[in-house]
Each structure stands twice: as C-alpha cells, then as structure tokens.
Amino acid sequence: MNHMHPHHFGSQTEASPHHPVVAELTEVLKNEPVNEEYYHLVVRCSPEAAAAQAGQFFQLLCPHSGEAQPFLRRPMSVYGMNPQTRELEFLYKVTGAGTRGLATLRPGDQLDVFGPLGTGFTFDPSWRSIVAVGRGAGLATLAPLARSAKERGIHVTAILSARRPDLLVSVDLFQSFGAEVITVTDARQTSGPANVERILRSLIAENRCDAFFTCGSSRLMRVQQRLAHEFDLPGQVAMEQQMACGIGLCYCCVRDFNVDGEIVSRRVCWDGPVFDLKEALP
C-alpha cells in the first residue's frame, strides 16, 4: 500500500453513525516519553484519519519489539487530531509487547493505522457546562473533549486522577482549551470515591454539571452513576476493553449493559466505545 494513500473501508450512510474508515501507513513525527509511564506519539496521516472524533479509536499495528511480534493490532484512543495539519496524537502507557514496540518508533518511521473506529462522545446543544472524570487511560481518552466542547461554547471541569502528581497527564491540554482542572491523587489521599463525590456534588450545586463524561475508573464511574440517577443528569462513559478486530466481527469485546432493567450484550468496539453512563455495568 502506498504511503498516505488510504484504503477506504466504507463511506458514511444514513443508516450508520460510523464515518469513513481508512487503513494507511502514517509517518511518525514525534514519539517521546512525557513521564516514566506515558509516551506521546504524533503521526502525519490522511485528512480522513485526522477527522476522528473525540472518543473514537484506531487499531495500531505495533512494530516488533525484539522479543515478540504482536499478532493483533492494539486499540488506542485518540488523544488529539488536527485535520488542517493532518496530524493524529496518541498517549500510551508501555505495558506489553505491543506498546514496547510502539516505544521504539522514531521520527520518519512508518506506523500502520486502521480507523477511526467506534462511536465517539456526543454533545447536547443545550449544555453549558460539563464534567469530565478520568484516570489511567481516561486521561488520554477524555482529552479531546476539551477541544470539542470549546468549539461548541461548553465549559469543561476536568477531575483528573492518578497515583502520583507526576503521572497526571493531559492537564496542560485541558487547560489550553479553557477547561478548569482539578487534580486528585492517591499520594495526596484525595482520589478516593468519597472525596470525588464531594467535589462532584459541589459542582452540581453550582449548576456546573449538565452532563458527566468519564473513562478509566470503575469506582469513580459508579459514583457518577449514582449522582446521575439522583439528580437526573445524563452521562457518557468510554469503555476500555481488549479488542481483536475493532470492527464488530470477532465478538471478543462484548460487555453487558443494563437497559431499562434488562441485561443486553453489546460490542465495545462497534456499539461504543462510548456508552450511556446509566446503562454501563462495571
């Protein structure tokens, strides 16, 4: 496949919310550690790939890392996208053979990507202020929300959680788009569900929470679910799940959801990865 000539896997139709998906070789522009756990990867891609929405993901074909060849592509949520400069950004943690392979990429190298996949976050035009709560992978997945919200004139309060202050990533990105950032950490004993609930209740009382957005912590998701029911607030959760195909064919990423009291199985990659907060099960 020629560099930068994407292969289209389908066009948008009235029946499907999914945008055009491309498989292509991208050029690595930057791949640098931001702290001892996370790397920031930037690639130049086609306009179709750069048109990804907040909450969507790509399947990345990770290069060899010496000891193992990753067989399956790795799902990676979009950390940033810029159709004007044709750039895609990913924030990832080195945890296994696949991400160890990603960490070996240097500027000028090529990376095979497939996407954008899944359904992203959606916004209600009536919202004035939303709250994003993220931990772990959620620090990357929720980051593009700030840009999308600003484009719509919606204020964001981001509650970002990590084990230690130096592992808090995407704080600058949220702030660059005008979001207010509240950081909570295990080290400072501020990241527990009780304290996060206290913060959320004060935001609700100040009419600064028209909707919840969350990713990366089941404990914090449950707190938001409880408050969503108590105050009748909408919410969306981006689910993390192992995936093989990324396009709904292999059914390895199925999870259960509670829809009006009935347990329904859905594929995270195709029906999500963003779901209604009130229907998600931990």
Side-chain angles (χ1 to χ4, degrees), residues 1 25 53 67 97 117 123 127 162 170 206 226 248-249 263 268:
M1 193 180 299
L25 289 173
Q53 305 296 305
E67 77 284 0
L117 299 167
F123 296 86
W127 294 341
S170 72
E206 294 164 13
R226 206 166 61 244
L249 298 178
I263 303 301
V268 171

Side-chain angles (χ1 to χ4, degrees), residues 65-213:
S65 58
E67 77 284 0
Q69 164 61 12
F71 177 64
L72 298 170
R73 290 173 180 263
R74 292 292 184 275
M76 193 76 63
S77 59
V78 176
Y79 182 59
M81 52 286 192
N82 189 329
Q84 283 74 43
T85 58
R86 305 203 330 268
E87 288 177 13
L88 268 179
E89 299 181 54
F90 300 96
L91 191 72
Y92 65 94
K93 191 174 175 179
V94 178
T95 55
T99 42
R100 276 198 297 275
L102 277 184
T104 66
L105 291 170
R106 298 288 173 263
D109 289 348
Q110 291 187 329
L111 175 66
D112 188 321
V113 309
F114 177 46
L117 299 167
T119 54
F121 297 111
T122 54
F123 296 86
D124 187 309
S126 69
W127 294 341
R128 299 270 54 86
S129 195
I130 60 174
V131 175
V133 182
R135 184 178 170 97
L139 297 173
T141 303
L142 293 171
L145 261 185
R147 178 191 207 132
S148 301
K150 186 176 183 182
E151 289 169 355
R152 293 164 173 81
I154 299 171
H155 182 261
V156 177
T157 304
I159 301 173
L160 306 180
S161 175
R163 295 198 315 280
R164 306 191 307 269
D166 59 297
L167 298 178
L168 284 161
V169 287
S170 72
V171 172
D172 294 348
L173 190 66
F174 271 104
Q175 290 176 334
S176 71
F177 290 108
E180 178 189 343
V181 176
I182 299 168
T183 60
V184 294
T185 62
D186 303 357
R188 293 175 180 155
Q189 298 184 321
T190 52
S191 59
N195 187 54
V196 172
E197 179 171 341
R198 184 185 60 76
I199 296 168
L200 291 173
R201 283 186 180 276
S202 67
L203 291 170
I204 293 169
E206 294 164 13
N207 290 319
R208 292 166 61 196
C209 180
D210 295 330
F212 292 110
F213 289 81

Side-chain angles (χ1 to χ4, degrees), residues 208-226:
R208 292 166 61 196
C209 180
D210 295 330
F212 292 110
F213 289 81
T214 191
C215 178
S217 169
S218 290
R219 292 197 312 161
L220 299 182
M221 180 185 82
R222 284 195 290 270
V223 170
Q224 292 166 87
Q225 282 180 322
R226 206 166 61 244

